């Protein structure tokens, strides 16, 4: 029987978790350095893996384009587009907890659902993107005031994606109705679709270069393949992290999470909410403020 006296304490703890998560998301948006993650980390990783200047060297063929797609996706893992992917570990753990006796199945089942929905969204966008080409704001060089049109698409798309993460976080914490309460795998599918949608708004220089190349080929199937590889490259680090948690602990990580519903909701909810708030605040407040639309606290670095 539920102890009614625990309900106020539970509500208070959820409120503290929400406030702390929102504060963490806002703080991350203020402190984030796009110069560090895009250029210092992202560009250097891509240059090292490809063996040449990734942005400056032309893509010379279909095979080179596929390789560039995967490498640039991997290099862009920690851009402001993808940092919210870290929140996927909690929900994937929840979806895999029923298999905690078998560490491999506990890894593959939720990861497969996550990857399938992510690739479906990114591949469809790659197919359609090649057909539409330069008519998309993402490939436009036009400006509205001092702000590139492609960044307006980014702000809209990532604002919606961020709100999706915010909802999932609040639902996990019990603040709003959780439509995935009894369907943890469906939650992972929804999360994968949100991550796949990152490409719809991504302004990352190497992705734009890939998109231009794919559009020039005029082959929508090639566009779908390159976009799918870009997304797969994005999740390599998250996949390795998840594998280390599950296989490296021989399933004990899942046992630890499953041992307390409160612990599970905190791990999933706080990560999803904090990183959802970061995504919304960064793309809909900080980025526009750089171009004179609104105000946002400035740091002494970019």
């Amino acid at each position: 029987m539920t102890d009614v006296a625990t309900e106020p304490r539970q509500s208070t703890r959820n409120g503290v978790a929400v406030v702390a998560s929102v504060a963490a998301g806002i703080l991350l948006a203020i402190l984030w350095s796009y110069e560090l993650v895009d250029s210092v980390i992202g560009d250097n990783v891509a240059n090292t893996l490809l063996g040449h200047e990734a942005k400056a060297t032309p893509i010379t063929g279909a095979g080179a384009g596929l390789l560039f797609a995967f490498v640039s996706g991997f290099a862009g893992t920690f851009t402001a587009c993808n940092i919210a992917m870290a929140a996927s570990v909690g929900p994937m753990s929840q979806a895999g907890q029923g298999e905690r006796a078998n560490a491999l199945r506990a890894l593959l089942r939720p990861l497969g659902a996550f990857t399938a929905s992510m690739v479906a969204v990114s591949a469809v966008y790659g197919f359609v993107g090649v057909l539409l080409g330069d008519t998309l704001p993402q490939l436009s060089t036009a400006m509205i005031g001092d702000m590139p049109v492609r960044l307006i698409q980014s702000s809209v798309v990532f604002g919606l994606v961020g709100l999706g993460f915010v909802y999932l976080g609040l639902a996990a914490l019990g603040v709003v109705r959780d439509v995935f309460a009894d369907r943890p795998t469906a939650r992972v599918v929804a999360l994968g679709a949100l991550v796949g949608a990152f490409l719809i708004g991504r302004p990352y220089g190497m992705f734009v270069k890939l998109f231009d190349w794919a559009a020039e080929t005029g082959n929508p199937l090639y566009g779908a393949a390159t976009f799918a590889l870009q997304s797969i490259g994005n999740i390599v680090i998250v996949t390795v992290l998840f594998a280390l948690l599950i296989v490296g602990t021989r399933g004990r990580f899942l046992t630890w999470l499953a041992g307390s519903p409160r612990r599970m909701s905190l791990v999933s909810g706080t990560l999803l909410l904090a990183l959802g708030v970061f995504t919304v605040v960064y793309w809909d407040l900080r980025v526009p403020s750089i171009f004179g639309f609104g105000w946002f606290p400035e740091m002494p670095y970019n």
Side-chain angles (χ1 to χ4, degrees), residues 14 18 163-181 187:
N14 285 345
V18 168
L163 288 176
F165 277 100
V166 167
Y167 165 75
L168 290 174
L170 291 175
L173 292 170
V175 177
V176 299
R177 179 174 175 267
D178 186 0
V179 298
F180 302 115
R187 187 194 312 277

Coordinates of all heavy atoms in Angstrom, one line a residue, residues 14 18 163-181 187:
N14 N 10.7 16.1 -6.6 CA 10.6 16.3 -8.0 C 10.7 17.8 -8.3 O 11.3 18.1 -9.3 CB 9.2 15.8 -8.4 CG 9.1 14.3 -8.5 OD1 10.1 13.6 -8.5 ND2 7.9 13.8 -8.6
V18 N 13.5 19.4 -10.8 CA 13.1 20.2 -12.0 C 13.9 21.5 -11.9 O 14.5 22.0 -12.9 CB 11.6 20.5 -12.0 CG1 11.2 21.6 -13.0 CG2 10.8 19.2 -12.3
L163 N 12.1 21.2 -26.9 CA 10.8 21.0 -26.2 C 10.4 19.6 -26.1 O 9.8 19.2 -25.1 CB 9.7 21.8 -27.0 CG 9.8 23.3 -26.9 CD1 8.7 24.0 -27.7 CD2 9.7 23.8 -25.4
G164 N 10.7 18.8 -27.1 CA 10.5 17.3 -27.0 C 11.3 16.7 -25.9 O 10.7 15.9 -25.1
F165 N 12.5 17.1 -25.7 CA 13.3 16.6 -24.6 C 12.8 17.1 -23.3 O 12.8 16.4 -22.3 CB 14.8 17.0 -24.8 CG 15.6 16.2 -25.7 CD1 15.9 16.5 -27.0 CD2 16.1 15.0 -25.2 CE1 16.6 15.7 -27.8 CE2 16.9 14.2 -26.0 CZ 17.1 14.5 -27.3
V166 N 12.4 18.3 -23.2 CA 11.8 18.9 -22.0 C 10.6 18.1 -21.6 O 10.4 17.7 -20.4 CB 11.4 20.4 -22.2 CG1 10.6 20.9 -21.0 CG2 12.7 21.2 -22.3
Y167 N 9.7 17.8 -22.5 CA 8.5 17.0 -22.2 C 8.9 15.6 -21.6 O 8.4 15.2 -20.6 CB 7.6 16.8 -23.4 CG 6.6 15.7 -23.2 CD1 5.5 16.0 -22.4 CD2 6.8 14.5 -23.7 CE1 4.5 15.0 -22.1 CE2 5.9 13.5 -23.5 CZ 4.7 13.7 -22.6 OH 3.9 12.7 -22.4
L168 N 9.8 15.0 -22.3 CA 10.2 13.6 -21.9 C 10.8 13.7 -20.5 O 10.6 12.8 -19.7 CB 11.2 13.0 -22.9 CG 10.7 12.6 -24.2 CD1 11.8 12.2 -25.2 CD2 9.6 11.5 -24.1
G169 N 11.6 14.8 -20.2 CA 12.2 14.9 -18.9 C 11.1 15.2 -17.8 O 11.2 14.5 -16.7
L170 N 10.2 16.1 -18.1 CA 9.1 16.3 -17.1 C 8.2 15.1 -16.9 O 7.8 14.8 -15.8 CB 8.3 17.5 -17.6 CG 9.0 18.9 -17.6 CD1 8.1 19.9 -18.2 CD2 9.4 19.3 -16.2
A171 N 8.0 14.4 -18.0 CA 7.2 13.1 -17.8 C 7.9 12.1 -17.0 O 7.3 11.5 -16.1 CB 6.9 12.6 -19.2
A172 N 9.2 12.0 -17.2 CA 10.0 11.0 -16.4 C 10.0 11.4 -14.9 O 10.0 10.5 -14.0 CB 11.4 10.9 -16.9
L173 N 9.9 12.7 -14.6 CA 9.9 13.1 -13.2 C 8.5 13.2 -12.6 O 8.3 13.6 -11.5 CB 10.6 14.5 -13.1 CG 12.1 14.6 -13.4 CD1 12.6 16.0 -13.5 CD2 12.8 13.8 -12.3
G174 N 7.5 12.8 -13.4 CA 6.1 12.8 -12.9 C 5.4 14.1 -12.9 O 4.4 14.2 -12.3
V175 N 6.0 15.1 -13.5 CA 5.4 16.5 -13.5 C 4.2 16.6 -14.5 O 3.2 17.2 -14.2 CB 6.5 17.5 -13.8 CG1 5.8 18.9 -13.8 CG2 7.6 17.5 -12.8
V176 N 4.4 15.9 -15.7 CA 3.3 15.9 -16.7 C 3.0 14.4 -17.0 O 3.7 13.5 -16.6 CB 3.7 16.6 -18.0 CG1 4.0 18.1 -17.7 CG2 4.9 16.0 -18.6
R177 N 1.9 14.2 -17.6 CA 1.5 12.8 -18.0 C 2.5 12.2 -18.9 O 2.9 12.8 -19.9 CB 0.1 12.9 -18.7 CG -0.4 11.5 -19.1 CD -1.8 11.6 -19.6 NE -2.3 10.3 -20.1 CZ -2.1 9.9 -21.4 NH1 -1.6 10.7 -22.3 NH2 -2.5 8.7 -21.8
D178 N 2.9 11.0 -18.6 CA 3.9 10.3 -19.4 C 3.2 9.3 -20.3 O 2.7 8.2 -19.8 CB 4.8 9.5 -18.4 CG 6.0 8.9 -19.1 OD1 6.1 9.0 -20.4 OD2 6.8 8.2 -18.5
V179 N 3.1 9.6 -21.6 CA 2.5 8.7 -22.5 C 3.3 7.4 -22.8 O 2.8 6.5 -23.4 CB 2.2 9.4 -23.9 CG1 1.3 10.6 -23.7 CG2 3.6 9.9 -24.5
F180 N 4.5 7.4 -22.3 CA 5.4 6.3 -22.5 C 5.6 5.5 -21.2 O 6.5 4.7 -21.1 CB 6.8 6.7 -23.0 CG 6.7 7.4 -24.3 CD1 7.1 8.7 -24.4 CD2 6.3 6.8 -25.5 CE1 7.1 9.4 -25.6 CE2 6.2 7.4 -26.7 CZ 6.6 8.8 -26.8
A181 N 4.7 5.7 -20.2 CA 4.9 5.2 -18.9 C 5.1 3.6 -18.9 O 5.9 3.1 -18.2 CB 3.8 5.5 -17.9
R187 N 9.5 5.0 -25.8 CA 10.2 6.3 -25.4 C 11.6 6.4 -26.1 O 12.0 7.4 -26.6 CB 10.5 6.2 -23.9 CG 11.0 7.5 -23.3 CD 11.5 7.4 -21.9 NE 10.6 6.7 -21.1 CZ 9.6 7.3 -20.4 NH1 9.4 8.5 -20.6 NH2 8.8 6.5 -19.7

